[in-house]
């Protein structure tokens, strides 16, 4: 369509088992359909995954195994805050990992700072996710 040039990616979509604004079943159904849509259009997929890596990877594996669905386009795991093992599984699948200001947080970002050197540079994206995930909070002038 004529507006297709305005759309550059599908997302942010995915699974969030931390907040659970929708049931797991509804999230899984919607995510599966969004991945299929990205495959059909061959547009990059921008994925939100929070405390749901096992289901996220399972769904991707099911999509990849389905010969009726076109191949996966590039996939970005947005705002990655997971475990090193999860990061490596995403990297092995050829996905990109996005890191936000969380990496600068003393305690919450420590495991991410330890992880980053083990990730190929061509798989790392730096994101702001502003204003939600700022780097360091400034102390207001008193």
């Amino acid at each position: 369509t004529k507006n297709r040039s305005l759309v550059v990616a599908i997302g942010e979509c995915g699974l969030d088992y931390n907040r659970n604004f929708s049931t797991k079943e509804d999230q899984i159904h919607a995510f599966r359909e969004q991945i299929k849509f990205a495959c059909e259009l061959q547009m990059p997929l921008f994925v939100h995954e929070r405390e749901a890596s096992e289901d996220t990877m399972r769904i991707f594996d099911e999509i990849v195994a389905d010969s009726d669905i076109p191949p996966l386009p590039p996939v970005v795991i947005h705002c990655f805050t997971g475990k090193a093992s999860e990061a490596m599984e995403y990297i092995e699948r050829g996905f990109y990992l996005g890191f936000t200001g969380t990496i600068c947080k003393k305690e919450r970002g420590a495991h991410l700072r330890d992880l980053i050197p083990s990730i190929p540079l061509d798989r790392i994206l730096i994101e702001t996710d502003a204003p939600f995930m700022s780097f360091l909070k400034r102390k207001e002038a008193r």
Side-chain angles (χ1 to χ4, degrees):
T1 68
K2 71 176 189 171
N3 291 329
R4 173 122 190 244
S5 64
L6 299 175
V7 178
V8 296
I10 304 299
E12 170 180 343
C13 57
L15 306 176
D16 188 327
Y17 293 170
N18 178 270
R19 294 186 180 152
N20 281 323
F21 290 128
S22 300
T23 66
K24 284 185 182 183
E25 294 77 19
D26 286 345
Q27 289 184 58
I28 288 169
H29 173 75
F31 185 44
R32 185 176 280 119
E33 294 304 310
Q34 291 160 336
I35 296 171
K36 289 179 190 177
F37 187 57
C39 290
E40 289 168 17
L41 296 177
Q42 283 300 291
M43 294 187 113
L45 185 62
F46 206 66
V47 176
H48 173 98
E49 179 269 302
R50 190 163 179 198
E51 299 176 17
S53 64
E54 189 174 306
D55 281 347
T56 298
M57 288 185 245
R58 179 181 50 76
I59 292 165
F60 274 116
D61 290 345
E62 291 169 2
I63 296 286
V64 167
D66 188 334
S67 61
D68 293 331
I69 299 173
L72 284 177
V75 175
V76 175
I77 305 298
H78 153 71
C79 188
F80 182 80
T81 57
K83 301 173 190 167
S85 59
E86 296 164 349
M88 292 305 116
E89 287 191 58
Y90 287 133
I91 295 300
E92 288 170 8
R93 286 171 167 77
F95 297 176
Y96 298 86
L97 296 180
F99 294 92
T100 64
T102 303
I103 62 174
C104 297
K105 309 257 187 229
K106 184 176 181 179
E107 293 171 12
R108 281 189 66 209
H111 77 288
L112 299 174
R113 290 189 301 277
D114 292 341
L115 168 66
I116 287 175
S118 66
I119 299 173
L121 287 176
D122 66 346
R123 294 289 150 188
I124 296 174
L125 300 175
I126 303 300
E127 319 176 66
T128 63
D129 204 17
F132 306 106
M133 301 291 287
S134 64
F135 285 86
L136 298 176
K137 291 187 179 190
R138 295 184 188 181
K139 293 186 179 185
E140 294 185 36
R142 295 176 191 217

